[in-house]
Amino acid sequence: METAICGRIALSPNHVFNPKPVGDKNSVCRGPCASRGILMSISATVSGKGGGGILEKPVIERTTPGRESELDLRKSKKMAPPYRVILHNDNYNKREYVVQVLMKVIPGMTLDNAVNIMQEAHYNGLSVVIICTQADAEEHCMQLRGNGLLSSIEPASGGC
């Protein structure tokens, strides 16, 4: 049963929630709380009419030794150092072809972004295509090379 209850609660899973009496036998706030308690919405198992509820103990994820939890996997993926995939200018491939390959190889690459990357590589000699994890950067680099483009990777943390 979901109920708005006016009272104070200890933030420990082992404590029983006993709302502070405000004059009403059940201490359920139907208007503004006169006792300046905290108005909260909780799920509680109530025994009878006037009893308080017992809060559920939080579930703690336990993993077997040698296996990483899903949270640890997400953290390690976020903590992986980023790498830049760099496209180098060449005098062999047409500009239209470079744009097509970028859109085919890089997920989420739009036509406008591909044209801008191609133009930057053409005028400056190189351009950053994408910043991603090392494994993804190596894969993108190999796919670009497989389509005849000059590319390389470098750690994104070093340099400008």
Side-chain angles (χ1 to χ4, degrees):
M1 171 174 100
E2 293 248 341
T3 313
I5 300 175
C6 182
R8 299 187 193 279
I9 183 170
L11 297 177
S12 169
N14 298 326
H15 285 78
V16 175
F17 178 78
N18 289 319
K20 190 175 182 182
V22 182
D24 184 13
K25 208 156 116 179
N26 296 330
S27 298
V28 175
C29 287
R30 290 188 176 83
C33 288
S35 67
R36 298 274 184 206
I38 300 169
L39 180 63
M40 64 186 85
S41 176
I42 63 169
S43 273
T45 308
V46 178
S47 59
K49 279 189 171 180
I54 298 174
L55 296 177
E56 298 287 328
K57 188 172 184 178
V59 177
I60 299 171
E61 180 183 334
R62 301 208 189 277
T63 58
T64 58
R67 293 187 65 185
E68 294 183 60
S69 70
E70 188 177 319
L71 180 65
D72 291 340
L73 289 173
R74 279 185 271 148
K75 276 186 183 177
S76 67
K77 200 167 196 175
K78 287 181 183 177
M79 295 297 199
Y83 276 74
R84 293 183 186 120
V85 177
I86 298 173
L87 175 68
H88 300 270
N89 186 38
D90 62 31
N91 293 325
Y92 307 108
N93 295 305
K94 292 186 177 186
R95 295 180 189 188
E96 295 82 10
Y97 176 73
V98 173
V99 170
Q100 287 176 351
V101 170
L102 286 171
M103 290 174 55
K104 179 175 82 171
V105 169
I106 307 300
M109 179 67 67
T110 64
L111 178 63
D112 290 338
N113 286 343
V115 169
N116 290 338
I117 290 168
M118 177 273 301
Q119 291 284 27
E120 186 178 345
H122 181 73
Y123 291 116
N124 299 331
L126 56 91
S127 177
V128 175
V129 176
I130 190 170
I131 298 176
C132 53
T133 64
Q134 183 178 6
D136 290 341
E138 289 172 352
E139 179 66 26
H140 295 319
C141 184
M142 294 307 295
Q143 287 179 347
L144 291 171
R145 288 178 181 178
N147 284 285
L149 303 182
L150 298 176
S151 65
S152 62
I153 66 169
E154 68 178 19
S157 57
C160 310

mmCIF file of all heavy atoms in Angstrom, residues 9 11 16 18 23 26 36-37 40-41 43 46 60 72 77 83 85 97-98 110 114-115 119 123 135-136 140 158-159:
data_model
loop_
_atom_site.group_PDB
_atom_site.id
_atom_site.type_symbol
_atom_site.label_atom_id
_atom_site.label_comp_id
_atom_site.label_asym_id
_atom_site.label_seq_id
_atom_site.Cartn_x
_atom_site.Cartn_y
_atom_site.Cartn_z
ATOM 1 N N ILE A 9 12.329 9.300 10.033
ATOM 2 C CA ILE A 9 12.742 7.917 9.816
ATOM 3 C C ILE A 9 14.258 7.828 9.923
ATOM 4 O O ILE A 9 14.976 8.695 9.454
ATOM 5 C CB ILE A 9 12.256 7.415 8.438
ATOM 6 C CG1 ILE A 9 12.607 5.957 8.238
ATOM 7 C CG2 ILE A 9 12.817 8.250 7.319
ATOM 8 C CD1 ILE A 9 11.949 5.341 7.019
ATOM 9 N N LEU A 11 17.660 6.177 8.711
ATOM 10 C CA LEU A 11 18.030 5.636 7.416
ATOM 11 C C LEU A 11 18.831 4.349 7.547
ATOM 12 O O LEU A 11 19.884 4.189 6.971
ATOM 13 C CB LEU A 11 18.812 6.676 6.620
ATOM 14 C CG LEU A 11 18.032 7.934 6.293
ATOM 15 C CD1 LEU A 11 18.916 8.930 5.572
ATOM 16 C CD2 LEU A 11 16.812 7.614 5.466
ATOM 17 N N VAL A 16 12.498 0.074 12.546
ATOM 18 C CA VAL A 16 11.074 0.091 12.256
ATOM 19 C C VAL A 16 10.633 1.537 12.137
ATOM 20 O O VAL A 16 11.040 2.381 12.927
ATOM 21 C CB VAL A 16 10.277 -0.621 13.380
ATOM 22 C CG1 VAL A 16 8.795 -0.500 13.146
ATOM 23 C CG2 VAL A 16 10.702 -2.066 13.487
ATOM 24 N N ASN A 18 8.254 4.287 12.782
ATOM 25 C CA ASN A 18 7.138 4.652 13.635
ATOM 26 C C ASN A 18 6.874 6.140 13.434
ATOM 27 O O ASN A 18 7.632 6.978 13.902
ATOM 28 C CB ASN A 18 7.454 4.399 15.113
ATOM 29 C CG ASN A 18 7.489 2.916 15.413
ATOM 30 O OD1 ASN A 18 6.646 2.181 14.920
ATOM 31 N ND2 ASN A 18 8.458 2.479 16.192
ATOM 32 N N GLY A 23 -1.675 13.912 16.338
ATOM 33 C CA GLY A 23 -3.040 14.084 16.823
ATOM 34 C C GLY A 23 -3.950 13.047 16.211
ATOM 35 O O GLY A 23 -4.872 12.566 16.836
ATOM 36 N N ASN A 26 -3.636 7.470 13.201
ATOM 37 C CA ASN A 26 -2.812 6.776 12.208
ATOM 38 C C ASN A 26 -1.637 7.616 11.720
ATOM 39 O O ASN A 26 -0.788 7.124 10.993
ATOM 40 C CB ASN A 26 -3.657 6.371 11.008
ATOM 41 C CG ASN A 26 -4.719 5.377 11.395
ATOM 42 O OD1 ASN A 26 -4.535 4.594 12.326
ATOM 43 N ND2 ASN A 26 -5.841 5.414 10.708
ATOM 44 N N ARG A 36 6.265 19.543 11.171
ATOM 45 C CA ARG A 36 7.441 19.873 10.350
ATOM 46 C C ARG A 36 8.284 18.633 10.040
ATOM 47 O O ARG A 36 9.480 18.700 9.915
ATOM 48 C CB ARG A 36 8.319 20.923 11.037
ATOM 49 C CG ARG A 36 7.644 22.221 11.273
ATOM 50 C CD ARG A 36 7.781 23.047 10.046
ATOM 51 N NE ARG A 36 7.186 24.362 10.316
ATOM 52 C CZ ARG A 36 6.698 25.109 9.385
ATOM 53 N NH1 ARG A 36 6.716 24.716 8.142
ATOM 54 N NH2 ARG A 36 6.175 26.269 9.672
ATOM 55 N N GLY A 37 7.633 17.493 9.976
ATOM 56 C CA GLY A 37 8.334 16.264 9.621
ATOM 57 C C GLY A 37 8.564 16.230 8.121
ATOM 58 O O GLY A 37 8.239 17.148 7.396
ATOM 59 N N MET A 40 6.929 11.991 2.855
ATOM 60 C CA MET A 40 7.545 11.045 1.944
ATOM 61 C C MET A 40 6.518 10.021 1.514
ATOM 62 O O MET A 40 5.527 9.799 2.195
ATOM 63 C CB MET A 40 8.735 10.361 2.615
ATOM 64 C CG MET A 40 8.357 9.520 3.809
ATOM 65 S SD MET A 40 9.769 8.884 4.639
ATOM 66 C CE MET A 40 10.153 10.254 5.679
ATOM 67 N N SER A 41 6.752 9.413 0.387
ATOM 68 C CA SER A 41 5.896 8.353 -0.104
ATOM 69 C C SER A 41 6.697 7.067 -0.040
ATOM 70 O O SER A 41 7.754 6.966 -0.637
ATOM 71 C CB SER A 41 5.482 8.654 -1.535
ATOM 72 O OG SER A 41 4.726 7.602 -2.045
ATOM 73 N N SER A 43 6.480 2.522 0.497
ATOM 74 C CA SER A 43 5.700 1.296 0.526
ATOM 75 C C SER A 43 6.012 0.612 1.839
ATOM 76 O O SER A 43 7.178 0.369 2.137
ATOM 77 C CB SER A 43 6.096 0.370 -0.612
ATOM 78 O OG SER A 43 5.369 0.669 -1.748
ATOM 79 N N VAL A 46 1.688 -2.706 6.599
ATOM 80 C CA VAL A 46 1.073 -2.212 7.829
ATOM 81 C C VAL A 46 0.261 -3.338 8.445
ATOM 82 O O VAL A 46 -0.541 -3.969 7.782
ATOM 83 C CB VAL A 46 0.171 -0.994 7.529
ATOM 84 C CG1 VAL A 46 -0.490 -0.511 8.793
ATOM 85 C CG2 VAL A 46 0.973 0.117 6.887
ATOM 86 N N ILE A 60 21.754 -6.289 -1.730
ATOM 87 C CA ILE A 60 23.147 -6.034 -2.076
ATOM 88 C C ILE A 60 23.575 -7.103 -3.067
ATOM 89 O O ILE A 60 23.428 -8.299 -2.812
ATOM 90 C CB ILE A 60 24.050 -6.063 -0.823
ATOM 91 C CG1 ILE A 60 23.607 -4.974 0.150
ATOM 92 C CG2 ILE A 60 25.508 -5.907 -1.205
ATOM 93 C CD1 ILE A 60 24.278 -5.030 1.494
ATOM 94 N N ASP A 72 30.837 -3.283 -12.224
ATOM 95 C CA ASP A 72 32.280 -3.245 -12.434
ATOM 96 C C ASP A 72 32.624 -3.217 -13.912
ATOM 97 O O ASP A 72 33.558 -2.546 -14.325
ATOM 98 C CB ASP A 72 32.954 -4.452 -11.776
ATOM 99 C CG ASP A 72 32.913 -4.383 -10.255
ATOM 100 O OD1 ASP A 72 32.724 -3.272 -9.719
ATOM 101 O OD2 ASP A 72 33.059 -5.440 -9.614
ATOM 102 N N LYS A 77 34.706 -0.075 -18.484
ATOM 103 C CA LYS A 77 34.535 0.423 -19.839
ATOM 104 C C LYS A 77 34.635 1.945 -19.861
ATOM 105 O O LYS A 77 35.210 2.525 -20.766
ATOM 106 C CB LYS A 77 33.185 -0.028 -20.389
ATOM 107 C CG LYS A 77 33.115 0.009 -21.890
ATOM 108 C CD LYS A 77 31.909 -0.735 -22.404
ATOM 109 C CE LYS A 77 32.090 -1.014 -23.876
ATOM 110 N NZ LYS A 77 31.055 -1.820 -24.432
ATOM 111 N N TYR A 83 41.066 6.763 -27.268
ATOM 112 C CA TYR A 83 41.996 6.811 -28.395
ATOM 113 C C TYR A 83 41.374 7.580 -29.545
ATOM 114 O O TYR A 83 40.162 7.534 -29.744
ATOM 115 C CB TYR A 83 42.364 5.391 -28.862
ATOM 116 C CG TYR A 83 43.477 4.771 -28.058
ATOM 117 C CD1 TYR A 83 43.248 4.307 -26.776
ATOM 118 C CD2 TYR A 83 44.758 4.673 -28.586
ATOM 119 C CE1 TYR A 83 44.275 3.754 -26.030
ATOM 120 C CE2 TYR A 83 45.789 4.122 -27.842
ATOM 121 C CZ TYR A 83 45.538 3.666 -26.574
ATOM 122 O OH TYR A 83 46.563 3.127 -25.842
ATOM 123 N N VAL A 85 41.045 8.103 -33.615
ATOM 124 C CA VAL A 85 41.251 7.513 -34.937
ATOM 125 C C VAL A 85 41.528 8.691 -35.863
ATOM 126 O O VAL A 85 40.729 9.625 -35.942
ATOM 127 C CB VAL A 85 40.007 6.729 -35.410
ATOM 128 C CG1 VAL A 85 40.227 6.186 -36.811
ATOM 129 C CG2 VAL A 85 39.682 5.609 -34.438
ATOM 130 N N TYR A 97 34.630 9.272 -52.393
ATOM 131 C CA TYR A 97 34.876 7.929 -51.901
ATOM 132 C C TYR A 97 35.225 7.955 -50.411
ATOM 133 O O TYR A 97 34.746 7.128 -49.639
ATOM 134 C CB TYR A 97 35.996 7.257 -52.708
ATOM 135 C CG TYR A 97 36.365 5.891 -52.197
ATOM 136 C CD1 TYR A 97 35.510 4.799 -52.393
ATOM 137 C CD2 TYR A 97 37.550 5.682 -51.500
ATOM 138 C CE1 TYR A 97 35.834 3.544 -51.920
ATOM 139 C CE2 TYR A 97 37.882 4.426 -51.011
ATOM 140 C CZ TYR A 97 37.023 3.360 -51.220
ATOM 141 O OH TYR A 97 37.330 2.112 -50.746
ATOM 142 N N VAL A 98 36.044 8.912 -49.997
ATOM 143 C CA VAL A 98 36.432 9.035 -48.590
ATOM 144 C C VAL A 98 35.193 9.256 -47.725
ATOM 145 O O VAL A 98 35.032 8.639 -46.671
ATOM 146 C CB VAL A 98 37.468 10.169 -48.398
ATOM 147 C CG1 VAL A 98 37.745 10.397 -46.917
ATOM 148 C CG2 VAL A 98 38.760 9.856 -49.140
ATOM 149 N N THR A 110 27.354 11.079 -39.900
ATOM 150 C CA THR A 110 26.429 11.751 -40.816
ATOM 151 C C THR A 110 27.187 12.245 -42.036
ATOM 152 O O THR A 110 28.422 12.335 -42.027
ATOM 153 C CB THR A 110 25.751 12.947 -40.126
ATOM 154 O OG1 THR A 110 26.756 13.912 -39.797
ATOM 155 C CG2 THR A 110 24.993 12.518 -38.884
ATOM 156 N N ALA A 114 31.071 13.601 -42.120
ATOM 157 C CA ALA A 114 32.024 12.921 -43.005
ATOM 158 C C ALA A 114 32.669 13.923 -43.965
ATOM 159 O O ALA A 114 33.886 13.872 -44.198
ATOM 160 C CB ALA A 114 31.319 11.811 -43.777
ATOM 161 N N VAL A 115 31.889 14.840 -44.507
ATOM 162 C CA VAL A 115 32.435 15.863 -45.418
ATOM 163 C C VAL A 115 33.415 16.761 -44.661
ATOM 164 O O VAL A 115 34.507 17.067 -45.166
ATOM 165 C CB VAL A 115 31.299 16.688 -46.067
ATOM 166 C CG1 VAL A 115 31.846 17.908 -46.777
ATOM 167 C CG2 VAL A 115 30.499 15.819 -47.028
ATOM 168 N N GLN A 119 37.330 17.143 -45.534
ATOM 169 C CA GLN A 119 37.887 18.457 -45.883
ATOM 170 C C GLN A 119 39.069 18.803 -44.972
ATOM 171 O O GLN A 119 40.085 19.309 -45.433
ATOM 172 C CB GLN A 119 36.818 19.545 -45.755
ATOM 173 C CG GLN A 119 35.731 19.455 -46.798
ATOM 174 C CD GLN A 119 36.182 19.957 -48.172
ATOM 175 O OE1 GLN A 119 37.355 19.928 -48.515
ATOM 176 N NE2 GLN A 119 35.230 20.407 -48.959
ATOM 177 N N TYR A 123 42.862 19.517 -46.326
ATOM 178 C CA TYR A 123 43.555 20.802 -46.198
ATOM 179 C C TYR A 123 44.667 20.797 -45.146
ATOM 180 O O TYR A 123 45.669 21.488 -45.301
ATOM 181 C CB TYR A 123 42.558 21.918 -45.884
ATOM 182 C CG TYR A 123 41.648 22.213 -47.049
ATOM 183 C CD1 TYR A 123 40.282 21.997 -46.958
ATOM 184 C CD2 TYR A 123 42.163 22.690 -48.250
ATOM 185 C CE1 TYR A 123 39.451 22.249 -48.038
ATOM 186 C CE2 TYR A 123 41.332 22.938 -49.330
ATOM 187 C CZ TYR A 123 39.979 22.722 -49.222
ATOM 188 O OH TYR A 123 39.163 22.975 -50.295
ATOM 189 N N ALA A 135 40.110 -0.687 -28.330
ATOM 190 C CA ALA A 135 39.645 -1.799 -29.166
ATOM 191 C C ALA A 135 38.805 -1.286 -30.338
ATOM 192 O O ALA A 135 38.993 -1.722 -31.482
ATOM 193 C CB ALA A 135 38.845 -2.788 -28.333
ATOM 194 N N ASP A 136 37.891 -0.366 -30.066
ATOM 195 C CA ASP A 136 37.064 0.198 -31.140
ATOM 196 C C ASP A 136 37.913 1.010 -32.113
ATOM 197 O O ASP A 136 37.703 0.958 -33.327
ATOM 198 C CB ASP A 136 35.956 1.075 -30.565
ATOM 199 C CG ASP A 136 34.895 0.273 -29.833
ATOM 200 O OD1 ASP A 136 34.803 -0.952 -30.063
ATOM 201 O OD2 ASP A 136 34.155 0.870 -29.024
ATOM 202 N N HIS A 140 38.126 0.407 -36.102
ATOM 203 C CA HIS A 140 37.808 1.451 -37.093
ATOM 204 C C HIS A 140 39.003 1.716 -38.003
ATOM 205 O O HIS A 140 38.848 1.869 -39.223
ATOM 206 C CB HIS A 140 37.384 2.743 -36.409
ATOM 207 C CG HIS A 140 36.111 2.640 -35.633
ATOM 208 N ND1 HIS A 140 35.002 1.954 -36.084
ATOM 209 C CD2 HIS A 140 35.766 3.145 -34.433
ATOM 210 C CE1 HIS A 140 34.038 2.036 -35.197
ATOM 211 N NE2 HIS A 140 34.474 2.758 -34.172
ATOM 212 N N GLY A 158 47.127 12.377 -24.667
ATOM 213 C CA GLY A 158 48.373 13.091 -24.912
ATOM 214 C C GLY A 158 48.239 14.140 -25.995
ATOM 215 O O GLY A 158 47.489 13.978 -26.963
ATOM 216 N N GLY A 159 48.907 15.249 -25.853
ATOM 217 C CA GLY A 159 48.914 16.294 -26.878
ATOM 218 C C GLY A 159 47.655 17.118 -26.880
ATOM 219 O O GLY A 159 46.851 17.075 -25.974
#
